[in-house]
Amino acid sequence: MTDFEHEIVKLVYDSGKYPLIYGQVASDNLVAEEVRRLGTTTAPWLSVALAILGVFLMVCSLRYRRAESKPLEACLGALIPVLSGITTIGMVSATGLAFQSIIVSTLFLVIAIGIDDIFIILAAWHRTDKHLEIPERMALTVQEAGCSMTVTTVTNLVSFGNGVLSTTPVLQTFAIYSSVASVVCYIYQLVIFPAIIAITAPNEYQKLGDSKEEKTWDIIKTMGQWSDRQWHKLAGAISTSWVRLLTISILLGYWYLSVYGIATMETDLTIQKMADQNARIVKFKRDADIILKEMQSVAILVKSPKDLRKMENLKKLQKMIKDFESAKNSFGNESTVCWLQSYIDFLTFYQENDEEFDNDDVITENSAKKSNFSEEKPAKSRFQFTYSDLPAFLNSEPQYKPMIRYSESECVKNSEKCIESFIFTTGFTDVVKYNEMYPVVSEWRKIAANYSEFEVYPYTERSNFVDQTVDMVDNIWNTVISEVICMGLTFILFIPDLISIFSAVFALFSVNFGVFGFLSIWGVGMDPVSTASLLMSIGFSVDISAHISYHYYQVDKPTARQKLEHVYSHIGWPTLQGGLSTMLAMMPIVLAPSYLGMVFLKTVILVCTFGLIHGLIVLPVFLSFFTEISGFCRRKSVKIADSPSSSIDNLPKTISIRDIGSQKKYQKDHENNNNNIEKF
């Protein structure tokens, strides 16, 4: 079939035999080839993205003390995500799951995730005590960075894992590849990159120990000091009331625009968005939509025609055909191609028996033309339905043969088994877009349900896309809600603190709500590509929120401002680097723009921008605000506990699994103390 289609393409487009005819060719195979071609032409830009990220990593790895700089290690670390992508494609493709063009975005995704882990590991390495032995220091590095990486990997896995349950095949494929890529990249980064640092660490130790005059980068020291001051200022500003009010005010405007964008978003699954705009197949589809709007046909399969010798069955079957001809946006009976009416006219003309009945039961072609299916009663005629003349009819009208599955031997016997099933077509008009066609398809299915005894199935080549268009809205919202619930459960596992969990889930939902709304404002409709990008945005936004929430929970400081200062100084710059590197990883797509690439680029820009704003400003605002409220409530409750028996202020702020044993011991000691006090 593929070879045949390629020959047709050559004949129509390239042979030059028909200069006066503007012909075009399309098929499912040609559409699939064009979509795959778009993916293969986008893939080479991965090398450009990798080069840009390599330079960015080298610059970010420079330290004030030159011996501590790790540009070589950073560049080698940038190759690990590439290795992860190759491994993922090999592993998943080996299972037989087809590689699609949307999977190219997974490769960009795994590069962005891997680069983010490099920043986390390097930051953890530089925070460890430089006087420790390399194995011990590396153990502490992996312990600190590994916890944060594990949280983000689990959340990514949960994010993409929801997409695996999707009913849209392309989205399901994207989710499977992305889930595997997240796990593989996590394992590789946790094992290979620390090994690279451990191998090159002796050189760092030697330079630090042997150099008489230590080489430094003064500009990096100046920038580092300036950066620390800015982080401390930001931590102080977030604790003020005016910044909190300003943040909430901006959030309200942000949510308003998001709601507007979501309300105006359109669902569209056309090939025009999935392939190169200059491709032949895209031009064909664009012109075909204009032509098809005048009229296109729906095929109705009647799988169980029943015994048409019974007048009630024949009448009901004709009534069903009439219902389809008069349905919403139908073209009318003049567009119907059906053997039944022609066969009735054939029998009426040639029959020799004299059995008479009222033509209210069966409508002949002449009466149909006269009444045009109006309420007027057609004239009477002599007619009796029989199967025995069907072979002769089909020999005289061979165009109907492909539309009927019949048994000639049973027809000769005039048996109801003569016709096993048949198909007929009728036209409809004015609707081409999938979202416009859904009311029409729904009415066809209602008509079919009214005649369930015939086992009726209406079908057009666009029916599947119409269903996906409608299902996609529910799928997206189900995905978002389930993602938020799963992320909340994940945060409970890793961050057993109510304030951190609530703030992180709130930030997660707000980021994705805004991303989807602003994508619509930016011209992106609802389709499998944008849905896949939504899954990706959830994963990225979780990374940022998880890093900040996890470190905020881990910090043991008395005030919210001190906690934020510690979080910013330790994870603020690596988080910012991760967001910037993610945007840089997608920038080469601008050089080879396509709908697929531009959707992911827009998504990454929005999610990184909104994610960083929420992670570095909005989330800390809520964390500090709720921490202060919690502290105020605890201090107020302590006032009623002036007696020696009170110990409310000694209760732990959070309770996790590891606290259970110590909590029981605490309660036992508390009871003993109360008994001693009473005795005293």
Side-chain angles (χ1 to χ4, degrees):
M1 177 62 75
T2 302
D3 294 338
F4 166 76
E5 290 174 353
H6 287 166
E7 290 299 320
I8 295 294
V9 170
K10 292 178 183 178
L11 185 66
V12 173
Y13 290 110
D14 304 323
S15 66
K17 291 184 178 181
Y18 313 103
L20 301 182
I21 298 176
Y22 177 61
Q24 299 187 73
V25 182
S27 73
D28 290 344
N29 287 333
L30 296 176
V31 169
E33 286 181 7
E34 186 59 37
V35 173
R36 284 195 298 269
R37 189 188 67 80
L38 180 64
T40 55
T41 55
T42 306
W45 293 104
L46 284 168
S47 58
V48 179
L50 195 63
I52 295 174
L53 287 174
V55 174
F56 183 73
L57 276 170
M58 290 178 64
V59 173
C60 292
S61 66
L62 298 177
R63 303 279 294 179
Y64 167 64
R65 304 169 72 178
R66 295 191 186 185
E68 295 179 355
S69 301
K70 298 192 177 298
L72 176 62
E73 292 85 342
C75 290
L76 292 175
L79 298 177
I80 297 176
V82 179
L83 180 61
S84 303
I86 296 173
T87 304
T88 299
I89 293 174
M91 290 173 59
V92 181
S93 298
T95 65
L97 189 64
F99 182 88
Q100 302 182 30
S101 59
I102 198 172
I103 305 305
V104 175
S105 60
T106 299
L107 303 180
F108 285 96
L109 173 66
V110 73
I111 288 178
I113 292 174
I115 298 300
D116 187 25
D117 292 339
I118 291 174
F119 290 123
I120 299 297
I121 294 174
L122 284 177
W125 169 263
H126 291 306
R127 284 197 298 269
T128 55
D129 188 353
K130 299 174 178 56
H131 298 93
L132 296 175
E133 295 293 329
I134 294 176
E136 185 179 358
R137 187 179 177 188
M138 182 53 63
L140 294 174
T141 299
V142 173
Q143 178 182 350
E144 180 178 345
C147 291
S148 184
M149 290 169 57
T150 301
V151 172
T152 56
T153 301
V154 171
T155 52
N156 282 332
L157 189 60
V158 171
S159 174
F160 295 122
N162 272 315
V164 175
L165 304 177
S166 172
T167 56
T168 305
V170 64
L171 182 59
Q172 188 179 56
T173 302
F174 170 80
I176 292 173
Y177 271 91
S178 299
S179 299
V180 175
S182 298
V183 176
V184 172
C185 186
Y186 165 74
I187 295 173
Y188 280 7
Q189 286 289 26
L190 201 59
V191 175
I192 298 177
F193 191 60
I196 293 173
I197 297 178
I199 292 172
T200 59
N203 185 42
E204 173 189 340
Y205 276 53
Q206 183 178 0
K207 289 181 179 179
L208 291 174
D210 296 345
S211 298
K212 295 181 180 178
E213 184 177 351
E214 187 176 31
K215 297 180 180 180
T216 59
W217 300 92
D218 291 335
I219 187 173
I220 294 178
K221 181 179 180 180
T222 303
M223 292 176 61
Q225 292 173 344
W226 177 84
S227 174
D228 289 339
R229 288 196 300 270
Q230 301 311 310
W231 288 124
H232 281 75
K233 288 181 180 179
L234 180 60
I238 284 176
S239 302
T240 60
S241 300
W242 70 270
V243 170
R244 292 172 179 173
L245 291 174
L246 180 62
T247 300
I248 294 175
S249 301
I250 294 175
L251 273 178
L252 293 175
Y254 163 81
W255 291 334
Y256 174 80
L257 292 176
S258 301
V259 171
Y260 171 78
I262 293 174
T264 57
M265 178 173 284
E266 294 185 355
T267 305
D268 193 3
L269 303 178
T270 56
I271 181 60
Q272 289 89 319
K273 290 187 173 184
M274 299 295 291
D276 187 353
Q277 294 302 301
N278 297 320
R280 291 169 172 173
I281 193 70
V282 172
K283 293 179 180 179
F284 173 90
K285 292 292 185 180
R286 193 181 297 125
D287 294 340
D289 282 351
I290 298 174
I291 297 169
L292 290 175
K293 194 166 187 178
E294 297 299 322
M295 190 184 78
Q296 49 191 315
S297 63
V298 54
I300 295 97
L301 170 64
V302 181
K303 198 173 180 181
S304 179
K306 302 300 179 184
D307 188 356
L308 298 181
R309 294 173 300 178
K310 297 179 179 179
M311 289 304 107
E312 61 270 19
N313 290 338
L314 186 58
K315 176 185 175 182
K316 197 165 188 178
L317 189 59
Q318 286 190 300
K319 178 66 167 58
M320 182 195 71
I321 296 173
K322 175 184 174 182
D323 288 347
F324 277 106
E325 290 172 342
S326 57
K328 189 181 186 71
N329 292 96
S330 290
F331 199 86
N333 64 340
E334 61 268 29
S335 66
T336 301
V337 179
C338 182
W339 66 275
L340 181 61
Q341 191 61 59
S342 297
Y343 184 53
I344 290 174
D345 294 332
F346 176 87
L347 291 176
T348 303
F349 185 79
Y350 288 103
Q351 245 175 24
E352 296 179 356
N353 60 62
D354 295 329
E355 186 173 348
E356 184 177 330
F357 65 94
D358 194 332
N359 208 32
D360 283 339
D361 293 327
V362 177
I363 303 173
T364 64
E365 186 179 86
N366 293 332
S367 64
K369 289 181 178 178
K370 182 178 178 180
S371 65
N372 195 23
F373 293 118
S374 66
E375 296 300 324
E376 299 177 9
K377 287 190 175 182
K380 294 184 177 181
S381 64
R382 298 176 180 273
F383 170 81
Q384 182 175 355
F385 191 92
T386 178
Y387 290 106
S388 57
D389 292 326
L390 184 63
F393 165 75
L394 293 176
N395 288 332
S396 64
E397 302 284 351
Q399 70 271 20
Y400 293 121
K401 278 188 176 182
M403 305 181 75
I404 307 176
R405 183 184 293 273
Y406 70 102
S407 171
E408 188 167 346
S409 60
E410 295 293 335
C411 292
V412 173
K413 298 176 184 177
N414 194 24
S415 169
E416 66 174 294
K417 297 180 181 179
C418 171
I419 300 178
E420 298 177 18
S421 60
F422 69 89
I423 196 169
F424 70 93
T425 64
T426 189
F428 63 98
T429 184
D430 293 334
V431 288
V432 175
K433 293 183 178 181
Y434 300 126
N435 56 332
E436 295 175 348
M437 283 187 60
Y438 184 72
V440 180
V441 174
S442 296
E443 185 170 355
W444 292 339
R445 290 171 178 167
K446 289 179 181 177
I447 295 173
N450 292 334
Y451 300 93
S452 57
E453 66 271 25
F454 294 132
E455 296 186 45
V456 185
Y457 300 95
Y459 173 79
T460 71
E461 63 177 3
R462 299 178 174 231
S463 294
N464 293 336
F465 296 102
V466 171
D467 288 335
Q468 290 186 36
T469 299
V470 177
D471 292 342
M472 193 166 294
V473 178
D474 293 334
N475 286 339
I476 287 176
W477 286 114
N478 290 338
T479 298
V480 172
I481 294 172
S482 61
E483 294 276 0
V484 172
I485 294 173
C486 290
M487 293 308 166
L489 296 175
T490 306
F491 285 139
I492 291 174
L493 178 63
F494 290 100
I495 313 173
D497 177 66
L498 186 61
I499 293 175
S500 299
I501 293 171
F502 175 80
S503 302
V505 172
F506 170 80
L508 170 67
F509 186 82
S510 179
V511 169
N512 289 281
F513 193 66
V515 168
F516 213 54
F518 277 78
L519 277 177
S520 175
I521 296 174
W522 207 345
V524 177
M526 190 181 297
D527 51 50
V529 176
S530 60
T531 307
S533 68
L534 178 64
L535 286 178
M536 184 177 69
S537 72
I538 293 173
F540 280 156
S541 59
V542 166
D543 284 357
I544 298 173
S545 299
H547 284 314
I548 300 299
S549 299
Y550 178 77
H551 283 80
Y552 186 88
Y553 163 71
Q554 290 289 327
V555 175
D556 185 17
K557 298 290 184 180
T559 65
R561 176 171 180 173
Q562 290 175 325
K563 290 168 75 75
L564 286 177
E565 288 177 350
H566 185 276
V567 170
Y568 282 144
S569 61
H570 282 72
I571 201 67
W573 179 235
T575 300
L576 187 60
Q577 287 175 322
L580 294 175
S581 66
T582 302
M583 285 190 281
L584 286 174
M586 303 296 289
M587 285 304 172
I589 291 177
V590 177
L591 303 176
S594 64
Y595 179 78
L596 173 67
M598 292 307 296
V599 167
F600 279 94
L601 176 61
K602 292 175 181 179
T603 301
V604 166
I605 291 176
L606 289 176
V607 74
C608 288
T609 302
F610 294 158
L612 288 173
I613 292 174
H614 278 75
L616 298 177
I617 299 178
V618 177
L619 181 58
V621 164
F622 282 91
L623 285 172
S624 61
F625 178 68
F626 288 120
T627 299
E628 291 179 3
I629 292 179
S630 175
F632 174 77
C633 292
R634 282 199 300 269
R635 287 193 300 270
K636 190 174 181 180
S637 63
V638 167
K639 293 180 180 179
I640 65 173
D642 294 330
S643 65
S645 61
S646 175
S647 56
I648 295 177
D649 55 329
N650 293 324
L651 288 176
K653 298 178 183 178
T654 61
I655 299 176
S656 63
I657 294 175
R658 64 190 179 200
D659 295 327
I660 293 175
S662 59
Q663 181 68 14
K664 289 181 178 178
K665 181 178 181 300
Y666 167 82
Q667 292 174 350
K668 185 176 180 181
D669 294 341
H670 175 64
E671 292 174 358
N672 292 335
N673 289 336
N674 286 342
N675 292 333
N676 292 333
I677 290 172
E678 291 175 358
K679 290 179 181 180
F680 178 77

